[in-house]
């Protein structure tokens, strides 16, 4: 599945079917079963990654999730990340920057949220906002936006080199699907809190955002920090796909239970005597 | 169940049966079923708490978990807290203080980890370590330890007054049960990483720790920051009990879906036009 999701060179989002399910033949029920089937392995790999870190292993995973509003970032966090021991996860949601954050380089707040050794870090939005809304809304001069792609590339190179497996996901929904999801939020009083009139303002700029995503992906895709475009009109598929990407990253790390750094027999004796 | 677990005045841990299941008549299978039955309500209350916070509600929950080694803190986090959307949880594990932390008042690092509005904060160990290992190991002069109880009481008073429902749990295991659990860690190579020879050193001071817990509970129990003593030799019971305590705290808050702060009909029109 993973290779089918890897962003192509010269990506054109419009050409990627948001209702497709690359690499998976089943329907929703099959997809939900497959997701459930992956939970134990994901959980076990996470525990081994953590265990290995207590013995000096310095590797970790960073999942970056970017998407248009309503594309299902929250559902991924809840249903995929939520199946992992919370002690093994470091979740950071990047919202509109604070005054303090704005007074620093845009990567300042990102650096602080990088996952510790042995952790699965998850970015719900990320430094990419600075070249997405940053570009579309012209929040910085054009040459500064240009510079940011290079800054991001250098930053991710260093993060990868220091032992982090980076997985970058764009959840890709259609404009029509977003309309339906926003309509549902407006129809249900228990969903009103998720709705923000500003969502429509951004929606009006759909094509500009698509272009900004394409540029960001083109400028920052790399084998050590790959972009995956996950069709997300079908929520069950998007969840399964992100779980699959995480599983692959962890399998590649292949973390091992560390061996004891103490004398097991001696400790058994000490315990018996205590 | 909750009232049966509330720490009595003049608590004597030795008199509380660590294998008992106060307020629950069933066996392990029943308990696991009851735990599963509580997941939806806990999840739903958490979501409403979060939703309400987006509309100005300032309340939140803080669960403090303290225990001797192997008592099952990790299992509580994984099986009780792990059933809640990770976006609604703020988990802090307090380990041996760093040099920087030691250069501040002992509550400095704790303040920074207090849950934000709308969150369920979870402390895996806490400021109580400073009057537990702090007392037993004489890490500070006796009069400073004395002062810390008052500092904690004043701190928790202020935290509660600012809208935080505090729930403090001591997972209570027997010394024999700990022996079995440590033995299991020594027997299983995939558990060796969880074992630390220092655990035996602390175990040798069991009675001193019991006394330190009793004092801490006695000095800091309050209706706005109550202590609950949860018998924990049966892991399934401890998990069910902590879920029950969390559910009660959230039910008391009774968070409500906020009403829309925008014109719903106008937004439906804007969406239709977009």
């Amino acid at each position: 599945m993973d290779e089918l999701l890897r962003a192509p060179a010269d990506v054109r989002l419009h050409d990627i079917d948001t209702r497709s399910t690359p690499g998976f033949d089943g329907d929703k029920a099959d997809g939900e079963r497959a997701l459930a089937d992956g939970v134990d392995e994901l959980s076990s790999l996470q525990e081994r990654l953590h265990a290995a870190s207590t013995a000096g292993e310095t590797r970790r995973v960073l999942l970056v999730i970017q998407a248009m509003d309503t594309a299902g970032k929250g559902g991924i966090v809840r249903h995929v990340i939520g199946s992992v021991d919370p002690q093994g996860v470091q979740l950071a949601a990047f919202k509109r920057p604070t005054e303090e954050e704005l007074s620093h380089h845009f990567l300042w707040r990102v650096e602080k949220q990088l996952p510790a050794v042995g952790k699965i870090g998850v970015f719900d939005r990320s430094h990419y906002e600075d070249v997405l809304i940053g570009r579309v809304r012209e929040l910085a001069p054009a040459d500064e936006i240009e510079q940011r792609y290079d800054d991001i590339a250098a930053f991710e190179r260093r993060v990868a080199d220091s032992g982090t497996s980076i997985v970058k996901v764009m959840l890709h929904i259609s404009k029509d699907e977003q309309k339906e999801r926003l309509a549902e939020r407006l129809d249900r009083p228990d969903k009103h809190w998720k709705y923000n009139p500003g969502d429509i303002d951004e929606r009006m700029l759909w094509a500009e955002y698509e272009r900004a995503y394409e540029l960001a992906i083109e400028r920052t895709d790399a084998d050590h920090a790959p972009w995956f475009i996950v069709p997300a009109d079908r929520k069950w598929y998007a969840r399964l796909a992100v779980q699959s990407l995480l599983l692959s990253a962890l399998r590649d790390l292949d973390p091992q239970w560390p061996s004891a750094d103490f004398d097991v027999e001696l400790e058994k004796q000490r315990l018996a005597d205590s």
Side-chain angles (χ1 to χ4, degrees), chain A:
Chain A
M1 182 181 291
D2 304 6
E3 279 165 37
L4 297 170
L5 298 174
R6 180 73 190 273
D10 254 333
V11 60
R12 288 297 164 262
L13 287 170
H14 201 72
D15 298 341
I16 298 176
D17 181 358
T18 54
R19 290 187 67 74
S20 62
T21 61
F24 191 76
D25 280 335
D27 62 9
K28 180 174 177 179
D30 299 325
E32 289 176 345
R33 222 166 3 244
L35 185 72
D37 286 347
V39 164
D40 280 352
E41 188 187 358
L42 186 60
S43 194
S44 159
L45 284 164
Q46 176 276 316
E47 191 181 1
R48 272 197 280 159
L49 181 69
H50 171 65
S53 78
T54 64
E57 168 66 70
T58 60
R59 289 178 302 175
R60 58 205 104 174
V61 173
L62 173 61
L63 173 68
V64 174
I65 313 175
Q66 282 291 157
M68 299 291 283
D69 287 324
T70 76
K73 287 192 281 64
I76 298 282
V77 172
R78 182 170 197 141
H79 297 279
V80 181
I81 306 305
S83 74
V84 173
D85 189 336
Q87 297 163 101
V89 172
Q90 210 174 314
L91 174 64
F94 291 93
K95 304 193 187 297
R96 182 194 293 266
T98 63
E99 283 294 318
E100 186 187 23
E101 288 167 351
L102 286 171
S103 76
H104 292 273
H105 186 271
F106 75 98
L107 291 172
W108 179 77
R109 66 173 183 161
V110 180
E111 183 86 39
K112 292 197 294 181
Q113 301 282 4
L114 287 171
V117 294
K119 298 279 187 185
I120 299 174
V122 179
F123 283 1
D124 172 357
R125 304 185 187 274
S126 68
H127 42 298
Y128 284 98
E129 292 296 321
D130 295 279
V131 292
L132 292 168
I133 191 171
R135 178 178 196 96
V136 172
R137 290 291 187 179
E138 298 178 1
L139 301 180
D143 58 341
E144 187 178 326
I145 299 287
E146 280 305 305
Q147 179 62 44
R148 286 180 185 176
Y149 298 116
D150 295 338
D151 288 351
I152 289 174
F155 172 70
E156 291 182 351
R157 172 86 255 177
R158 190 239 304 162
V159 170
D161 285 349
S162 69
T164 306
S165 299
I166 302 176
V167 177
K168 300 185 290 193
V169 167
M170 187 228 174
L171 300 177
H172 182 35
I173 58 166
S174 68
K175 198 174 173 191
D176 285 347
E177 178 70 19
Q178 189 192 54
K179 192 172 208 166
E180 278 183 37
R181 294 185 186 180
L182 286 172
E184 196 197 350
R185 289 185 182 178
L186 285 169
D187 281 340
R188 290 179 49 179
D190 65 331
K191 298 277 184 194
H192 281 167
W193 66 276
K194 288 190 171 186
Y195 182 89
N196 184 327
D199 296 347
I200 302 279
D201 303 328
E202 301 312 304
R203 177 174 166 75
M204 303 286 205
L205 299 166
W206 192 272
E208 288 84 343
Y209 273 104
E210 272 199 341
R211 187 69 198 122
Y213 268 103
E214 288 166 356
L215 277 169
I217 290 167
E218 188 182 311
R219 295 287 298 272
T220 65
D221 183 71
D223 285 342
H224 61 269
W227 270 108
F228 298 91
I229 298 173
V230 173
D233 279 5
R234 300 179 201 263
K235 291 179 183 176
W236 63 263
Y237 174 76
R239 291 169 193 171
L240 183 63
V242 174
Q243 186 193 59
S244 167
L245 293 168
L246 264 183
L247 279 170
S248 298
L250 286 159
R251 284 187 202 123
D252 285 349
L253 289 181
D254 191 25
Q256 300 297 320
W257 299 117
S259 49
D261 59 353
F262 50 84
D263 180 334
V264 175
E265 293 310 314
L266 174 67
E267 292 301 320
K268 283 184 180 173
Q269 194 54 53
R270 287 183 70 217
L271 178 61
D273 294 344
S274 72

